[in-house]
Amino acid sequence: MDALTQIMKISQTLEKRLETRYGATGSGLTQRIRSVENKIPNHICQKIKQIAYVRNQAAHEDVSIAEKKLASVKDNFDYAMNAMNYTDSVLIKIGDALAQIIDINKKLCNLLEKRYGASGNGLHQKLNSVKSKVPFRVQGKIHKIATIYTKAAHKDYAVALRSLKDVQKLDDEISTILNRGDVSRYKKNDLVNKGSKSRREKFGLFVSKPKQGRDSSNSNNSFGTSTKRSDHSQTAQSHGYNPNFHRGSTSSPFDRYPRRGGNSRNQLNGGTFSLKPILISGGVCLVAILLIAVLVACLK
């Protein structure tokens, strides 16, 4: 088999591949590759165009070119076929990943419609329509899935293959949280405030006065639970709270830490005050001043 016949068979093989796989149209290899340039990577198109150029020269101008260019034509043919096979496998994977992301998006849309009564065109709009009903921890995850779906379906198909594992992980987390059924719908700040109330109630730092017409021993605290005043006072004192503190007093309600001398603030305010340390320090200062004055006089 001469070189020209081999180049013609290579050209026919590429024409059939472009027609069956990519839907190429045209009479020759050059026209068919130009009709599907937007579907095939650029480096593959350049290799096929080089083969078409050598084939046209050998068939219509100079037969001797076929023998000279046969090796390069075979190399370009092998490169193009391997690249197209790899591209087809990647496209199949991208198609499968995109189909899974679309299924997850549809599942979340149906969930929001049936459980929360959502309305809108896409997943973003449906979530925004029922934002007050959906748990706060789930909203960011749903928005992220909707963003990935929009990019993969309308902008870049390769995003589907890169982000499939992230979407599946987010879908599992959303399903776990929604199916658990004990998730609070409050925001983060509300959860922090709610926790601070329980800590205050635990330490008993807020003791309400008994209401008139009821027994002073039993009263409702600021949280609505019926407790004894004596229990609150004992708990507060054990945590350093001064129950005798009232507005206008000079003492602090939390006199936890006594001073080094063993006297707390209340003991100092109680009248146990001595002038002896002040008199001693004053006398020492006077003696020091007199000594300095004598030294200055001697130097003069």
Side-chain angles (χ1 to χ4, degrees):
M1 185 182 295
D2 57 349
L4 180 59
T5 306
Q6 294 182 25
I7 292 175
M8 295 296 290
K9 286 190 174 182
I10 289 173
S11 178
Q12 292 175 2
T13 304
L14 289 173
E15 289 177 5
K16 289 181 180 179
R17 179 66 181 270
L18 293 176
E19 183 180 0
T20 56
R21 178 65 184 84
Y22 301 100
T25 57
S27 58
L29 183 58
T30 304
Q31 293 183 4
R32 293 191 179 187
I33 189 61
R34 286 179 179 175
S35 64
V36 291
E37 281 182 339
N38 58 343
K39 300 179 182 180
I40 301 175
N42 186 38
H43 60 94
I44 300 176
C45 293
Q46 295 299 326
K47 298 294 183 180
I48 296 176
K49 286 180 180 179
Q50 291 176 9
I51 295 172
Y53 178 74
V54 174
R55 181 256 181 195
N56 292 334
Q57 277 190 335
H60 302 292
E61 297 178 4
D62 188 2
V63 180
S64 62
I65 295 177
E67 295 180 357
K68 297 178 181 179
K69 300 290 185 179
L70 180 60
S72 63
V73 168
K74 288 182 177 180
D75 293 338
N76 292 334
F77 174 73
D78 294 337
Y79 180 88
M81 293 298 292
N82 293 331
M84 282 191 289
N85 292 331
Y86 176 76
T87 304
D88 292 343
S89 64
V90 172
L91 290 175
I92 292 172
K93 293 179 181 179
I94 291 175
D96 294 339
L98 182 59
Q100 295 182 35
I101 292 176
I102 291 174
D103 292 338
I104 292 173
N105 185 77
K106 288 181 179 179
K107 183 184 74 173
L108 291 174
C109 289
N110 295 331
L111 177 66
L112 293 177
E113 289 178 357
K114 294 179 180 179
R115 183 177 295 188
Y116 302 104
S119 60
N121 294 327
L123 187 57
H124 281 299
Q125 294 184 8
K126 291 180 186 297
L127 179 59
N128 291 330
S129 64
V130 291
K131 207 167 187 178
S132 60
K133 300 178 183 179
V134 179
F136 178 77
R137 292 173 57 191
V138 176
Q139 295 179 13
K141 302 178 188 298
I142 295 177
H143 277 302
K144 190 172 182 179
I145 291 176
T147 303
I148 293 173
Y149 164 77
T150 303
K151 289 182 180 180
H154 303 291
K155 296 181 180 180
D156 187 7
Y157 297 121
V159 175
L161 187 60
R162 294 195 300 265
S163 305
L164 178 60
K165 292 183 179 179
D166 296 336
V167 172
Q168 290 176 345
K169 183 178 178 181
L170 291 172
D171 182 44
D172 294 338
E173 293 176 357
I174 292 170
S175 301
T176 302
I177 293 173
L178 292 180
N179 294 330
R180 193 165 56 192
D182 58 348
V183 180
S184 175
R185 295 189 182 92
Y186 296 103
K187 294 184 178 180
K188 292 182 179 179
N189 295 332
D190 297 335
L191 292 174
V192 171
N193 294 333
K194 187 176 180 181
S196 62
K197 288 183 180 180
S198 62
R199 287 194 294 272
R200 293 171 186 173
E201 184 179 4
K202 177 181 177 181
F203 292 119
L205 300 180
F206 292 88
V207 182
S208 60
K209 295 182 179 180
K211 296 182 180 181
Q212 295 181 358
R214 294 185 181 181
D215 187 8
S216 61
S217 61
N218 296 328
S219 60
N220 293 328
N221 59 8
S222 58
F223 302 100
T225 57
S226 177
T227 55
K228 291 185 179 181
R229 185 180 180 87
S230 59
D231 296 338
H232 280 296
S233 301
Q234 292 176 2
T235 306
Q237 290 178 10
S238 64
H239 288 84
Y241 180 74
N242 184 9
N244 298 322
F245 172 76
H246 56 85
R247 292 184 180 179
S249 67
T250 57
S251 61
S252 172
F254 290 92
D255 289 328
R256 296 187 182 182
Y257 309 105
R259 302 202 176 196
R260 291 184 180 179
N263 295 327
S264 63
R265 296 179 184 176
N266 293 333
Q267 291 175 350
L268 290 176
N269 293 330
T272 59
F273 183 75
S274 177
L275 292 175
K276 187 176 180 180
I278 296 177
L279 294 176
I280 293 173
S281 60
V284 172
C285 291
L286 289 175
V287 171
I289 291 171
L290 290 175
L291 290 175
I292 293 171
V294 171
L295 290 174
V296 172
C298 294
L299 291 176
K300 289 182 178 180

